[in-house]
Amino acid sequence: MQRWTFHIALCLWLAILAGFKLLIRPPMPASVLTIYMVLVTLGIMIFVAANEARFQAFLAPLKAVFEGRAPKLVQALVLAGIPLLAAWGTWLRTAPSYDAPFEARVVHPQPPLAMQLSGKKLNLAGLQNPLRANAADLDKHTVEGKRIYYQNCFYCHGDALAGDGHFANAFTPIPANFRDVGTISMLQESFVFWRVATGGPGLPKGAAPWLSAMPVWQNFLSEDEIWKAILYIYAGSGSTPRTWEEAPKK
Amino acid sequence: MIPRIFLIAALLASSAFAGDAPKMKMESVRATPVAADPAAGKKLYQRWCTQCHGDEGKGDGPAAEFVYPRPRDFTLALYKVRSTPSGQLPTDHDLFKVISEGLPGTSMPAWNKYLSENERWQLVHYVKTFDTLGLFKDEAPTQRIAMDSPPQITPVLIARGKELYQSKKCWECHGKEGRGDGNKADTQKDDWGFPIRPVNFTKSWRFRGGDRIEDIFRTFTTGFNGTPMPSFVDAIPAAEDRWALAAFIKSLARPQKTGQVLRAIHRDGDIPADPYAKAWEDAEFVDFPLAGQIILDPRWFKPAHDVITARALYNDKEIAVLVEWDDGTYSRGDGNKPADQVALQLPVTISADEKPYFLLGDKKHAVDYWRWNAKDGLARFAAEGATRMSPRETGALAAQGGYKDGQYRVILRRPLKSGKEDEVPFEPGKFVPIAFHLWDGDQGEEGLKMSISTWYYLLPQPKTPFTIYLWPLGLGFLALGGEFWLIRRVRRKEKPA
């Protein structure tokens, strides 16, 4: 068994690399992979070196190659392989790449304190959805909101509110997925109102307002209709808004 | 609307006809695994389907006006994707498959992402209850078409399929190259009286029946009920021939290849003016998906185009972009229809951390807008938003374009640099934002009624410099040197022993 220490170590290393590459989805970034593989290499080396006999067994095949005792073919393969691997590894790092430049974009920027709605000023601090006040009419408003959603929003945000409407793939950034816990369920309704009413162009600079296809809905919908649509996107995606009480203190 | 009684008669006649044409191998229909629970079905339907198919299944929900093709009216029980002969009803498994996998290329979603198997079976049962003629009760299919496993696809098979495509006149509707531009393509109507266009075979990702060879075989074996797309079992009775035709149609497909960057490759000589020249055919292409312009008023919900393909080349003097797209109709602004158009949008100046608004720019950031029109050719605009577009001199910008076999190819070219402030300079290695707009005049598209993309990048890719090979070579030789040093060392140590 000890005779094969080197081969086992090599196979183990390759198997772990293959595991990282093939089994983990989405694929991990190259830099992370490098760190993991350095750790794996260290781990294997420490295990091998912990026992003198094992270490010698590990070195034996390497020595055989360098001392010229290994079969000629193995010698040739190893001696030619190492420089080729080194060259190839460097090429992978230095070869020019023409990927699109990475653009950082804040998805949920700090909302303003007040916004313009059809010419009038609306304070966002403490703003509640007025349609929730009367619980008796909530269902009626939600049904109205559903109609508004399917006449205006579902092309992008999708039938099941998952951000995958039939136009969604033409837009970068992609339309928000309302079923995802990272969107409307972690936002206050006032924030959502601001986003819907002012759309992509209403975003601050850090959120790349020039990229978002989200329309400016105050151009098409009344204040009331926007609130109704918001009722529906929560009801339809089975989520609830974050309330003012839950908001993190600053 | 067509009188209902007429439709019923047509339906009965066609199913009766299909009944005595048993040219195909049939097999019995598989049992339905889940029993109906009408209350559950109704609830699911109202939650997920009414917005398109309507409360009473008439295909008239609030979203129906805004999608093309229209959502199906279930009351006449006409179904397209089936495993049963022409004119017959679908099996429960057929409906289950459509509801689960959706209809690609339409707004009908694949519900297997959101609804459990049991829920989808309930919807199958519920959709059948809209059948006002009671057909599912009286004529529920018991037999479906048995399909052998597909033959090996070989060039010989495809060539045979091509002959059949010619002799059976598929091209009359689907066009010579299969781009849906046949001479009968413009006049087709479905049984509901709506205009309908033959499918473009190169866009196989939009096949509603699916794009595996088995799917294509099934589609034209069974035909799409309610449409001018007939069953071809009578015209092409031999199954081998239908497999050959399916193989040919599959061979026309050109899968999409999307990306964020359109790379222009450097050429030493001139950039050919002929869009069919080899240099262009060899240039790498990128498909950019398009959506209807539903952001500014007037919104356009039912765009004709869903993709534009681009290639780019540059030399030491100029850069050229070739855009190509399929259009079944060649509209040059005759009659009262607008002409087909394409536009490329670039920023006027590049800033490191800001771009103009992706749709025609904004007050602070203008865009340079190059538009080619099938009637008037090239026009150039500066835009600071949709309402602030002003024509500008085309200058050294040039365009040539044409239409052939259902496809446009247009080349737009410009010197790399003019030295002036009013247009972006192109430099190897520098990314330039680019966006695309497309119009189909035949569908009445003009102005903001168009298909749009968001920002992508155009990159003149630098010639690969020799120096980038130095590092790998250097490290390779270093490793080689190290090896020799080690060998010499160990062997010297060995010797005395």
Side-chain angles (χ1 to χ4, degrees), chain B residues 49-358:
Chain B
C49 319
T50 47
Q51 66 268 25
C52 287
H53 293 288
D55 288 331
E56 287 152 44
K58 289 191 189 144
D60 58 355
E65 291 296 320
F66 301 100
V67 297
Y68 175 85
R70 271 185 79 91
R72 186 65 42 75
D73 169 356
F74 296 133
T75 59
L76 295 172
L78 288 173
Y79 290 93
K80 292 186 181 173
V81 183
R82 304 177 328 279
S83 59
T84 56
S86 180
Q88 294 195 9
L89 294 170
T91 69
D92 286 358
H93 280 273
D94 291 339
L95 289 173
F96 182 76
K97 178 173 180 286
V98 166
I99 294 173
S100 300
E101 295 170 18
L103 294 168
T106 79
S107 58
M108 169 71 191
W111 292 100
N112 54 10
K113 278 188 284 182
Y114 308 111
L115 302 176
S116 71
E117 211 173 301
N118 183 53
E119 288 173 320
R120 281 176 270 138
W121 278 113
Q122 292 310 333
L123 285 164
V124 169
H125 291 300
Y126 195 71
V127 161
K128 293 199 315 188
T129 64
F130 293 118
D131 151 34
T132 46
L133 312 173
L135 295 173
F136 275 107
K137 211 174 263 145
D138 304 339
E139 295 176 17
T142 53
Q143 297 275 299
R144 61 171 207 163
I145 295 170
M147 262 206 303
D148 301 324
S149 46
Q152 189 82 25
I153 300 186
T154 59
V156 180
L157 191 71
I158 292 176
R160 170 92 192 102
K162 188 168 184 176
E163 275 167 35
L164 286 159
Y165 188 83
Q166 294 303 326
S167 59
K168 301 300 169 186
K169 303 206 166 132
C170 307
W171 51 269
E172 284 188 340
C173 289
H174 291 284
K176 192 168 135 235
E177 304 284 327
R179 297 200 183 102
D181 59 324
N183 52 354
K184 289 194 183 162
D186 298 350
T187 51
Q188 304 296 323
K189 287 215 161 72
D190 67 15
D191 286 6
W192 294 268
F194 296 109
I196 188 170
R197 289 208 61 88
V199 164
N200 177 342
F201 291 139
T202 65
K203 296 186 175 183
S204 62
W205 69 90
R206 294 179 58 106
F207 285 6
R208 274 150 299 167
D211 65 352
R212 296 175 312 156
I213 181 167
E214 296 94 311
D215 297 328
I216 300 170
F217 177 92
R218 192 197 53 235
T219 298
F220 67 85
T221 298
T222 66
F224 272 8
N225 289 350
T227 77
M229 175 59 208
S231 159
F232 282 88
V233 225
D234 296 325
I236 315 171
E240 306 88 82
D241 284 347
R242 276 179 280 134
W243 280 118
L245 190 50
F248 171 66
I249 290 178
K250 183 145 179 73
S251 76
L252 295 173
R254 213 219 63 197
Q256 268 192 298
K257 184 162 122 325
T258 56
Q260 292 295 315
V261 181
L262 173 61
R263 289 186 286 159
I265 305 299
H266 185 272
R267 254 179 84 78
D268 288 325
D270 283 342
I271 298 174
D274 171 16
Y276 299 90
K278 185 161 182 316
W280 281 117
E281 297 283 356
D282 292 347
E284 188 187 59
F285 66 85
V286 184
D287 291 316
F288 297 103
L290 304 175
Q293 190 290 107
I294 55 170
I295 293 153
L296 303 172
D297 198 33
R299 290 183 283 171
W300 190 242
F301 296 96
K302 296 184 267 188
H305 294 300
D306 59 353
V307 66
I308 187 167
T309 305
R311 307 163 202 255
L313 293 172
Y314 77 108
N315 59 21
D316 295 333
K317 292 189 301 266
E318 58 175 0
I319 185 161
V321 177
L322 166 67
V323 280
E324 66 185 55
W325 71 97
D326 293 355
D327 186 338
T329 50
Y330 182 29
S331 322
R332 272 166 303 170
D334 314 325
N336 45 14
K337 284 186 174 166
D340 297 328
Q341 293 189 125
V342 63
L344 263 58
Q345 172 188 292
L346 299 97
V348 170
T349 50
I350 296 202
S351 112
D353 58 346
E354 277 182 63
K355 284 181 195 156
Y357 184 49
F358 78 96

Side-chain angles (χ1 to χ4, degrees), chain A residues 192-205:
Chain A
V192 175
F193 184 87
W194 165 63
R195 283 306 325 274
V196 177
T198 65
L203 288 164
K205 199 175 144 185

Side-chain angles (χ1 to χ4, degrees), chain A residues 79 103 146 152 164 210 236, chain B residues 46-47 114 299 355 483:
Chain A
L79 293 181
E103 286 156 295
K146 180 174 176 186
N152 295 286
D164 57 354
W210 50 85
Chain B
Q46 288 186 334
R47 173 70 190 82
Y114 308 111
R299 290 183 283 171
K355 284 181 195 156
E483 277 177 357

Side-chain angles (χ1 to χ4, degrees), chain B residues 344-348 366-370 380-383 392 397 414 422-424:
Chain B
L344 263 58
Q345 172 188 292
L346 299 97
V348 170
V367 293
D368 188 5
Y369 201 61
W370 307 349
R380 192 175 186 182
F381 301 85
R392 58 181 285 194
L397 181 67
R414 208 204 76 179
D422 60 357
E423 62 180 25
V424 290

